[in-house]
Coordinates of all heavy atoms in Angstrom, one line a residue:
T222 N 14.5 17.5 -10.6 CA 15.2 18.6 -9.9 C 15.2 19.9 -10.7 O 15.5 20.9 -10.2 CB 16.6 18.2 -9.6 OG1 17.3 17.8 -10.9 CG2 16.7 17.0 -8.7
F308 N 0.2 -21.8 -1.8 CA 1.2 -21.0 -1.1 C 1.7 -19.8 -2.1 O 1.9 -18.7 -1.6 CB 2.4 -21.8 -0.8 CG 3.5 -21.1 -0.1 CD1 3.4 -20.6 1.2 CD2 4.7 -20.8 -0.8 CE1 4.4 -19.9 1.8 CE2 5.7 -20.1 -0.1 CZ 5.6 -19.6 1.2
G335 N -0.1 6.5 20.2 CA 0.6 5.9 21.3 C 0.8 4.4 21.2 O 0.3 3.8 20.2
F340 N -2.4 -2.4 19.8 CA -3.4 -3.4 20.2 C -4.5 -3.3 19.3 O -5.0 -4.4 18.8 CB -3.8 -3.1 21.7 CG -4.9 -4.0 22.2 CD1 -4.5 -5.2 22.8 CD2 -6.2 -3.7 22.0 CE1 -5.5 -6.1 23.2 CE2 -7.2 -4.6 22.5 CZ -6.9 -5.8 23.1
V459 N 9.4 -10.3 -15.0 CA 8.5 -11.1 -14.2 C 7.0 -11.1 -14.7 O 6.4 -12.1 -14.9 CB 8.5 -10.7 -12.7 CG1 7.6 -11.6 -11.9 CG2 9.9 -10.8 -12.1
A499 N 7.6 -4.8 29.7 CA 7.1 -3.4 30.0 C 6.5 -2.8 28.7 O 5.4 -2.1 28.8 CB 8.2 -2.5 30.5
G502 N 3.2 -4.4 28.1 CA 2.3 -3.9 29.1 C 1.8 -2.5 28.7 O 0.6 -2.1 28.8
L687 N -13.2 2.0 -4.2 CA -13.5 0.7 -4.6 C -14.1 -0.1 -3.4 O -15.0 -1.0 -3.7 CB -12.3 0.0 -5.2 CG -12.4 -1.5 -5.5 CD1 -13.6 -1.7 -6.5 CD2 -11.1 -2.1 -6.1
A688 N -13.6 0.1 -2.2 CA -14.1 -0.7 -1.1 C -15.6 -0.5 -0.9 O -16.3 -1.4 -0.4 CB -13.3 -0.2 0.2
G716 N -15.1 -37.9 2.3 CA -13.9 -38.5 1.9 C -13.5 -38.1 0.5 O -12.4 -38.5 -0.1
P723 N 1.8 -33.4 0.6 CA 1.9 -33.0 -0.8 C 2.7 -34.0 -1.6 O 2.3 -34.3 -2.8 CB 2.5 -31.6 -0.7 CG 2.1 -31.1 0.7 CD 2.1 -32.3 1.6

Side-chain angles (χ1 to χ4, degrees):
T222 57
F308 182 72
F340 177 89
V459 181
L687 171 58

